[in-house]
Amino acid sequence: MNKPSGTTIPKIIPVYVVVPPHILLLDVAGPVEVLRRANAEQQDILFDYHFVSTQTEQVSSIGLAVAGLEPLPAQLPDDAYILVCGTITAPAEANDPEPEYRQLAAWLKTIFRPTMHLVTICSGALIAARAGLFDGYACTTHALSVDELREIAPAARVLDNRLYVEDGTRFSSAGISTGTDLMLHLVAKLTSPVVALNIARYMVVYIRRTGGEPQFSPWLSGRNHIHPVIHRIQDAIIADPARYWSLAELADTGFMSVRNLSRLFQEHTGLTVTEYVNLIRVTLAKDILTNSPLDMENIAEKTGFTSARHLRRVWSKYNTVPPSHYRRITGQV
């Protein structure tokens, strides 16, 4: 793999992509394509990825052979990322899984150290769980494998309905395309959000972050779920934040009752509908403050607040500095 051009000496991050039998091609191709593009987008970080397995060749989910695989290393660098991909055959569907899965789990248990990072895609979480690597941690996997993951790892906190989960040095994704979501999240953390956004545009995919940490873009807050109707309601709010959005109107948008909307929205986003609308409006106000000389009354009107006082009151819930100070530090006077 070639290094990015230029004189900058990049920090090398070793990534070991574990390829199990009957590998789901999207589980490996999506995340690694993100890393490949990250190497092309910037020069500060070089993701040095290796494909390792119990065999030099594995047959993929679509029958295409994945060849040239390296043997499982006897040791890894302290700062390694171990990416365990998913498979179309459940690696734990019986008390005694087939030998290759046992071998992979045993290798993970031996090789993993606290300084390393574990990343699982789809049912790759089941292999890592057999190694005990999710004990005491929150994690997720494909919806069809969640119950099995709970059975294998009773000491883990298995979460439903999540695109991906981050808990310390353990990262896990729900399955297939969500491996790309998770890797975009990791690239944003390790390089920059701008790099991740550029990669997402190149790959023509959405970029989402988890809800348990600060968002690099509040426009993406509360989007780490897979409920299509709630996404549709969020899209409507983002398309016109200044509009007066009644609960009844939003409920009609989702073809549900107001009560059901309120329950589902908080369950899937971690926010009430009002909190979400106010967050998006404050974010729009920040954009206007940064890019225009408008006074607070005009900004309040354009962002759906009843007055500048109302805007300042809601603003204070999401920001530690007042709007006037925020404008000064972001360049508008």
Side-chain angles (χ1 to χ4, degrees), residues 173-331:
S173 68
I176 310 179
S177 64
T178 61
T180 300
D181 294 312
L182 174 54
M183 196 54 64
L184 285 168
H185 168 63
L186 282 169
V187 165
K189 288 170 65 72
L190 294 169
T191 61
S192 77
V194 173
V195 170
L197 284 168
N198 288 340
I199 296 169
R201 292 191 187 102
Y202 170 82
M203 296 180 69
V204 199
V205 296
Y206 288 110
I207 179 168
R208 302 184 177 112
R209 297 270 285 188
T210 59
E213 64 178 321
Q215 305 289 315
F216 62 78
S217 172
W219 296 107
L220 305 176
S221 183
R223 303 304 296 256
N224 184 33
H225 63 85
I226 55 176
H227 197 293
V229 176
I230 301 302
H231 277 305
R232 184 164 70 244
I233 291 169
Q234 289 174 301
D235 289 342
I237 294 168
I238 287 175
D240 192 2
R243 181 175 177 174
Y244 172 72
W245 289 106
S246 68
L247 286 177
E249 186 175 11
L250 289 172
D252 287 343
T253 301
F255 303 101
M256 64 178 70
S257 68
V258 169
R259 181 178 179 181
N260 201 31
L261 165 64
S262 298
R263 179 182 63 82
L264 287 175
F265 199 94
Q266 181 142 23
E267 176 184 337
H268 290 280
T269 70
L271 301 165
T272 67
V273 176
T274 299
E275 286 171 341
Y276 184 78
V277 171
N278 281 338
L279 173 62
I280 298 303
R281 286 176 175 173
V282 167
T283 303
L284 177 59
K286 291 174 76 171
D287 290 347
I288 297 174
L289 273 168
T290 301
N291 298 294
S292 84
L294 290 176
D295 61 29
M296 289 301 294
E297 288 294 344
N298 278 307
I299 293 174
E301 181 180 352
K302 288 181 176 295
T303 54
F305 293 103
T306 56
S307 65
R309 182 181 179 183
H310 183 204
L311 168 55
R312 289 189 180 96
R313 185 171 69 250
V314 175
W315 174 285
S316 66
K317 296 179 181 179
Y318 300 96
N319 299 278
T320 56
V321 299
S324 57
H325 182 58
Y326 180 82
R327 169 170 271 169
R328 284 198 297 272
I329 63 178
T330 55

Side-chain angles (χ1 to χ4, degrees), residues 10-70:
K11 175 185 176 182
I12 297 176
I13 296 182
V15 180
Y16 292 84
V17 183
V18 179
V19 180
H22 314 296
I23 178 75
L24 276 160
L25 274 185
L26 278 176
D27 280 10
V28 62
V32 177
E33 179 64 19
V34 173
L35 298 182
R36 185 188 74 81
R37 286 300 304 176
N39 287 342
E41 288 283 343
Q42 48 79 50
Q43 298 183 353
D44 295 327
I45 300 289
L46 175 67
F47 294 97
D48 183 18
Y49 43 86
H50 303 262
F51 301 94
V52 302
S53 187
T54 54
Q55 307 290 333
T56 58
E57 181 176 307
Q58 296 287 5
V59 178
S60 72
S61 56
I62 60 173
L64 186 68
V66 180
L69 303 174
E70 301 175 27

